[in-house]
Amino acid sequence: MSTLHVLSHSPFGDERLTSCLRLLGSADALLLSGDAVYALQPGTAPFIALESRKVKLFVLAEDAQARAVQVPDWAEAIDYPAFVELSIHHDKVNSWL
């Protein structure tokens, strides 16, 4: 059983990203949206944690572009229709509100 975890809050304001990474299973995926895309700022603790964990990472391209954040080659930038496809592909969707 797989879960799509959706984060939309900045990783610099609380521990949601850290908690999420602890719970991610091998079949799970993580989608960064909204201010959560700031986790992809190179050299930061969230960036290093994501890169080292080798998670299946997706990023809403529109949100990354709006915040001038580059999506690294080990993550996949997607649009809203692809987000819907990811939601259907996984057994559960967990939004970290």
Side-chain angles (χ1 to χ4, degrees), residues 39-52:
L40 297 177
Q41 294 175 318
T44 63
F47 181 91
I48 293 166
L50 288 167
E51 185 178 33
S52 66

Side-chain angles (χ1 to χ4, degrees), residues 31-67:
L31 172 71
L32 300 178
S33 65
D35 286 345
V37 301
Y38 288 124
L40 297 177
Q41 294 175 318
T44 63
F47 181 91
I48 293 166
L50 288 167
E51 185 178 33
S52 66
R53 287 285 314 266
K54 307 284 189 221
V55 301
K56 294 175 198 154
L57 182 62
F58 299 91
V59 181
L60 276 177
E62 182 177 301
D63 292 339
Q65 182 180 13
R67 290 160 180 81

